[in-house]
Amino acid sequence: MPSSASYWRRVWRHFKRNTLAVLGLGIALLLGSIALLADVLANEMPYYLVYQGKTYFPLLQQGLHHLGIASFPVELRHVDYTQLAAERVMFPPIPYRPNRINLLVPFAEPSAAHWLGTDKLGRDVMAGIIHGVRISLSIGFVAVGIALSIGVTLGALAGYFGGWVDLFISRLFELMLAIPTFFLLITIAATLRPNIFYTMIIIGFTSWVGIARFTRNEFLKVRNLDYVIAAVAMGTPTQRIVVRHILPNALAPVLVSVVLGIAAAILTESGLSFLGIGVPADLVTWGSLLNEARSNSFAWWLAVFPGAAIFLAVVAYYLVGEGLRDALDPRLQ
Amino acid sequence: MFSYLLQRMLLLLPTLLGITCIAFLIIHLAPGDPAELRAGGGLGAAGSEGLSSDKRGGLDQALAAWRAQYGLDQSLPMQYWHWLRNLVTLDFGHSFKDNQPVWSKIAERLPITIQLNVLSIVLIYLIAIPLGVYSATRPYSVGDQITTFVAFLLFALPSFWIGTLAIVFLCGGDFFDVFPPGGITSVGYSARWSFWERLGDRLWHLCLPVLIMSYGGFAGLSRFMRSSMLENIRQDYVQTARAKGLSERWVIYKHVLRNSLIPIVTIMASILPGLIGGSVIIETIFSLPGIGLLAYEAVLARDYPIVMAVFTISSLLTLVSLLVSDLLLTLVDPRITFSGRRV
């Protein structure tokens, strides 16, 4: 059974030998932590503040307030912290919210105040990129989660039952392969109200074919192996055979397409928001920042940095996926 | 062979029918009424709130007349049926925007998209095959590893990023002015230019878009070519060829290369849909008046007839290219015959 601990330990040992794959995993984990900590890394609320003799921890207090544990100090509501005559203050490394508009500094070049410059509304690009990690990764993960559940279900049905079920589902594959997917995405995303949840769902619903075909082929291979036939002979219910006996064997190769699928979904999402569809106009994403560079070609920082973020995320997941593929390939071991 | 071809052609129809059906449903069930959009200039309900009731009544009448003109007042199945019936006579209807026949609008835009895609495919194959051969003949050498790495990076580079960078840095912004910032002809272009001047101008405008459209393709394809070559090099017949004293050159180019090209030919069909989708982005970045830009604008304006036509034509192109690449297989590999093979 490949699901045993020793199997995954062996896979990990092979994965570890691949320097680039480990580098990719490192970047992916770093991006994941940035996504989790985005509010702490880039926020206009100070960590620590001494104001009129009282000590506050505004960011922490706001977090607790959102969790419903403590209330936020009344005197700090609707306060502009940059204008506050504070005795002592400590801001996060990027003291801006991503959607904080400051019309006094539109298109500011990268400087000490704005590390990566600002966009046409004076919004800080670095803050936008940091919070953009969260949007991109969550769209990547949720979209692939949806694609995975559709793909594994249809692939397992087609591969296990064969016959007319397979014929029908295979026609569905063919249909999805021939349909211009990106254009389909644009069409759906442009006609719906811009919303990142819709975008996740649409990307998920248009990207399951690869996973489904993979699962189907694995099931076709595994279903005639002796241990499955033995399970059938012993009268094991079909559902149990599929879920407990075949699926774990088929999942390892599917995992590769899942990791590569995350990269593809991130790419698709930024492509959509680059075209200005799929995400609301006030939401700052990597693609929407890059989009601004198109019509303001002097603002090179808007072209360079958000695109580099997309590239970095995509490369990281590609590297992990490729490394995983090699580590799972028994011929290379 | 002929019966196989016929069988495949017949199978095209249900797939195409399915695709148009899905596209039709998605377009028509989506919120947003093209009539309101047309009247309110995209404002929809918000734009008509300020109207007095009698003006609103007049507007409603005009909208109803307009809907009737395009058959939008009928039930969905009826609309689809009409659309299908017109399709049989190759009539895609009229654009909502300017009432031009969809065919003529597409025919006007098609040459640019075809030039873009054909040039890209040619470039992809021209670069990928030699690169794949180079890598495969010296596997795991420094040269191979560098090619592998560069191909990987190119493959992961989003084309819309590179396109934007090119616009910012190369197309006459604050940096270099090497290429035109978009469009398909220079300012002052005239039909009276000599053929070579016009060709040169066109190529100058297509240079960046084609490069950006194809680099991902040749990066991916060169990897594919490499593994296909490596698989063949390990085969017994190569050993035999070497054993009977053929030169390495002859073995590679006459024996291995030919066999390695087989999967490369079939993959053409899967490159094409990607290129069609990619032309939406490339044509938008470089403002090239091709099908991609037309489709993008049509989607935003809910111009249903054009959106449907683009769906139908590009899926048909994909299906036909799948078929053609299967047929090409029989040409490059005489072992493959279709008689008796089930689809």
Side-chain angles (χ1 to χ4, degrees):
Chain A
M1 280 292 286
S3 59
S4 67
S6 67
Y7 173 78
W8 288 109
R9 201 173 298 146
R10 204 170 65 233
V11 168
W12 171 239
R13 209 172 51 232
H14 283 279
F15 186 87
K16 242 185 352 191
R17 264 187 236 146
N18 186 339
T19 326
L20 280 176
V22 174
L23 179 74
L25 187 64
I27 300 174
L29 289 177
L30 180 74
L31 288 175
S33 342
I34 293 178
L36 287 177
L37 297 174
D39 283 329
V40 181
L41 290 172
N43 206 309
E44 57 185 3
M45 290 212 164
Y47 292 146
Y48 169 70
L49 172 76
V50 181
Y51 176 56
Q52 294 178 344
K54 278 181 78 179
T55 304
Y56 302 94
F57 298 92
L59 192 58
L60 182 70
Q61 282 170 308
Q62 192 207 28
L64 294 176
H65 173 69
H66 281 313
L67 292 172
I69 298 172
S71 66
F72 194 70
V74 186
E75 61 273 24
L76 286 186
R77 285 189 192 154
H78 313 296
V79 150
D80 184 353
Y81 292 97
T82 52
Q83 307 295 325
L84 208 65
E87 283 111 66
R88 290 171 71 187
V89 63
M90 192 181 144
F91 280 105
I94 316 296
Y96 307 99
R97 256 189 307 129
N99 50 358
R100 166 68 184 237
I101 295 171
N102 184 354
L103 293 173
L104 295 175
V105 284
F107 295 121
E109 286 201 31
S111 63
H114 297 278
W115 294 0
L116 301 184
T118 63
D119 75 343
K120 66 178 175 216
L121 298 176
R123 296 177 294 195
D124 186 68
V125 172
M126 185 78 194
I129 288 180
I130 287 179
H131 284 258
V133 182
R134 180 180 284 181
I135 298 168
S136 283
L137 286 192
S138 53
I139 288 183
F141 276 85
V142 175
V144 169
I146 294 172
L148 181 69
S149 24
I150 301 176
V152 166
T153 311
L154 287 180
L157 283 177
Y160 187 80
F161 292 106
W164 67 267
V165 181
D166 186 29
L167 194 76
F168 178 76
I169 294 178
S170 294
R171 285 287 88 80
L172 208 60
F173 293 172
E174 207 177 75
L175 203 143
M176 286 302 289
L177 282 180
I179 208 163
T181 321
F182 192 71
F183 185 50
L184 182 72
L185 263 166
I186 295 177
T187 310
I188 308 175
T191 47
L192 294 174
R193 207 157 22 84
N195 180 321
I196 64 165
F197 297 106
Y198 291 161
T199 308
M200 291 171 180
I201 295 170
I202 303 166
I203 295 179
F205 267 85
T206 47
S207 58
W208 51 267
V209 184
I211 295 176
R213 297 217 305 179
F214 233 123
T215 315
R216 171 181 172 270
N217 295 343
E218 285 300 309
F219 265 69
L220 281 179
K221 248 191 283 174
V222 177
R223 84 171 223 224
N224 287 326
L225 291 184
D226 287 344
Y227 81 96
V228 176
I229 296 171
V232 175
M234 288 194 304
T236 319
T238 308
Q239 199 189 342
R240 196 178 157 81
I241 296 178
V242 168
V243 175
R244 293 295 299 273
H245 295 266
I246 308 184
L247 202 56
N249 280 303
L251 270 188
V254 169
L255 199 62
V256 176
S257 30
V258 165
V259 177
L260 296 178
I262 294 173
I266 291 174
L267 208 53
T268 310
E269 180 272 325
S270 21
L272 282 179
S273 50
F274 175 72
L275 289 176
I277 44 190
V279 290
D282 59 335
L283 192 70
V284 180
T285 65
W286 293 345
S288 75
L289 286 171
L290 196 55
N291 180 23
E292 284 186 45
R294 260 171 71 206
S295 38
N296 307 290
S297 61
F298 59 90
W300 57 268
W301 56 93
L302 285 175
V304 172
F305 303 121
I310 300 169
F311 175 60
L312 199 66
V314 170
V315 162
Y317 281 95
Y318 273 160
L319 284 174
V320 174
E322 300 268 322
L324 204 57
R325 173 181 294 157
D326 291 348
L328 288 169
D329 190 347
R331 282 176 304 175
L332 295 176
Q333 295 182 2
Chain B
M1 182 67 195
F2 182 73
S3 68
Y4 171 76
L5 195 64
L6 200 70
Q7 194 186 354
R8 282 289 298 268
M9 300 272 248
L10 286 178
L11 269 174
L12 277 186
L13 288 177
T15 314
L16 198 63
L17 201 69
I19 290 172
T20 58
C21 196
I22 290 178
F24 191 85
L25 279 178
I26 285 171
I27 295 170
H28 285 265
L29 293 181
D33 176 8
E36 283 280 350
L37 208 67
R38 186 185 156 91
L43 294 173
S48 53
E49 256 170 30
L51 293 176
S52 61
S53 62
D54 58 319
K55 271 193 184 153
R56 177 72 228 183
L59 182 63
D60 281 342
Q61 252 176 15
L63 289 185
W66 188 82
R67 282 196 196 101
Q69 186 193 343
Y70 288 96
L72 291 172
D73 51 348
Q74 290 163 343
S75 69
L76 269 191
M78 275 313 277
Q79 286 187 39
Y80 184 57
W81 169 243
H82 279 300
W83 184 85
L84 272 184
R85 220 178 46 190
N86 288 337
L87 183 67
V88 175
T89 58
L90 289 179
D91 175 11
F92 281 111
H94 293 256
S95 161
F96 287 173
K97 194 175 139 204
D98 47 15
N99 207 23
Q100 293 285 308
V102 171
W103 252 128
S104 71
K105 292 192 79 152
I106 286 186
E108 196 181 289
R109 304 286 196 107
L110 201 58
I112 289 173
T113 305
I114 288 182
Q115 286 165 17
L116 212 63
N117 282 287
V118 168
L119 285 175
S120 297
I121 288 188
V122 170
L123 194 68
I124 287 174
Y125 277 80
L126 273 184
I127 297 182
I129 291 176
L131 214 60
V133 173
Y134 170 86
S135 277
T137 44
R138 24 184 106 50
Y140 308 109
S141 68
V142 178
D144 176 35
Q145 279 176 350
I146 292 175
T147 345
T148 304
F149 189 65
V150 171
F152 175 80
L153 286 186
L154 282 182
F155 191 67
L157 277 175
S159 62
F160 53 90
W161 183 36
I162 299 304
T164 314
L165 286 180
I167 291 271
V168 168
F169 289 103
L170 295 179
C171 299
D174 290 357
F175 299 90
F176 300 98
D177 188 4
V178 189
F179 288 103
I184 199 69
T185 48
S186 304
V187 182
Y189 174 89
S190 89
R192 273 175 304 171
W193 285 8
S194 74
F195 171 75
W196 294 110
E197 276 175 320
R198 277 181 294 159
L199 184 72
D201 188 57
R202 174 61 56 96
L203 286 179
W204 188 51
H205 281 83
L206 284 182
C207 190
L208 270 185
V210 166
L211 258 181
I212 291 169
M213 233 172 124
S214 45
Y215 72 78
F218 66 67
L221 198 69
S222 70
R223 295 299 84 196
F224 200 75
M225 184 69 203
R226 175 183 180 270
S227 56
S228 174
M229 286 280 288
L230 281 180
E231 217 154 85
N232 273 296
I233 283 177
R234 288 193 209 113
Q235 301 283 325
D236 287 343
Y237 75 89
V238 178
Q239 285 296 324
T240 313
R242 282 184 183 140
K244 70 181 183 182
L246 291 183
S247 72
E248 187 65 19
R249 228 186 144 75
W250 189 266
V251 171
I252 295 291
Y253 290 102
K254 196 76 188 172
H255 294 245
V256 180
L257 182 61
R258 285 202 173 183
N259 282 307
S260 312
L261 283 178
I262 296 167
I264 301 290
V265 170
T266 47
I267 212 168
M268 171 117 88
S270 63
I271 293 178
L272 196 67
L275 285 181
I276 293 173
S279 48
V280 174
I281 283 190
I282 291 297
E283 286 174 13
T284 314
I285 295 179
F286 289 98
S287 334
L288 299 174
I291 296 289
L293 193 61
L294 178 74
Y296 175 61
E297 287 165 351
V299 163
L300 292 185
R302 306 275 201 288
D303 202 340
Y304 298 163
I306 290 190
V307 177
M308 282 304 290
V310 172
F311 262 115
T312 314
I313 293 172
S314 54
S315 338
L316 188 66
L317 272 179
T318 310
L319 287 169
V320 169
S321 66
L322 274 171
L323 182 59
V324 169
S325 61
D326 275 1
L327 294 180
L328 279 178
L329 262 187
T330 56
L331 287 181
V332 288
D333 189 352
R335 284 171 303 184
I336 298 173
T337 53
F338 287 118
S339 37
R341 197 185 114 180
R342 294 285 104 186
V343 206

